[in-house]
């Protein structure tokens, strides 16, 4: 079971709970290999409430993946070797999504028709 439980994205802030007693190191939000924001960690119950802002400038058409990583760096240091991936968040938006969904639906319909045809053949034989 993962230590990090995502609570979802609301108002541009990805939130979650990190279930451990010890405070986390530096928490970074990474997009396309670059740190784009530092997440906040506040004590909550028997863990830590994590809040990572998603920079609006990083959102665009298509699929965007963000990683939440923990390392021992400070300030604006790059992600340190041995950084630990806690979770990922994938956002999909724009016209690309519509085309992908239509193609996926067409593929599912074709597969369903094939299954129906095969079931009819088996039932008749």
């Amino acid at each position: 079971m993962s230590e990090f439980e995502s609570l979802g994205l609301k108002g541009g802030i990805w939130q979650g709970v990190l279930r451990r007693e010890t405070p986390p190191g530096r928490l970074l939000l990474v997009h396309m290999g670059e740190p784009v924001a530092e997440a906040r960690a506040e004590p909550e119950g028997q863990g830590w409430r994590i809040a990572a802002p998603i920079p609006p400038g990083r959102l665009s058409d298509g699929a965007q993946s963000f990683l939440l990583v923990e390392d021992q760096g400070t300030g604006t240091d790059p992600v340190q070797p041995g950084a630990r991936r806690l979770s990922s968040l994938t956002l999909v938006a724009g016209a690309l999504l519509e085309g992908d969904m239509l193609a996926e639906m067409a593929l599912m319909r074709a597969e369903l028709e094939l299954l129906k045809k095969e079931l009819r053949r088996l039932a008749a034989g």
Side-chain angles (χ1 to χ4, degrees):
M1 185 171 126
S2 174
E3 288 181 299
F4 183 80
E5 177 188 348
S6 178
L7 300 177
L9 178 67
K10 186 173 182 181
I13 308 291
W14 179 23
Q15 295 191 43
V17 175
L18 186 60
R19 301 196 188 286
R20 69 162 81 143
E21 292 180 17
T22 59
R26 180 177 66 165
L27 298 172
L28 294 173
L29 190 65
V30 177
H31 179 251
M32 298 180 77
E34 297 178 17
V36 294
E38 193 165 344
R40 293 185 322 271
E42 296 177 8
E44 179 179 281
Q46 294 184 359
W48 301 85
R49 174 70 151 226
I50 308 300
I54 306 292
R58 291 294 178 146
L59 301 177
S60 60
D61 285 354
Q64 306 298 321
S65 293
F66 295 89
L67 299 177
L68 180 64
V69 299
E70 175 184 18
D71 72 5
Q72 298 307 315
T74 58
T76 59
D77 291 346
V79 177
Q80 301 297 299
R84 186 164 164 231
R85 180 180 164 264
L86 296 176
S87 190
S88 65
L89 175 70
T90 301
L91 303 175
V92 183
L96 179 63
L97 175 62
E98 183 178 331
D100 286 350
M101 293 289 286
L102 292 174
E104 189 66 28
M105 289 293 289
L107 180 61
M108 289 174 64
R109 284 187 182 120
E111 290 174 352
L112 182 59
E113 287 302 317
L114 182 64
L115 283 171
K116 286 178 9 183
K117 182 179 179 180
E118 196 60 27
L119 283 173
R120 286 186 193 118
R121 186 187 67 79
L122 289 171

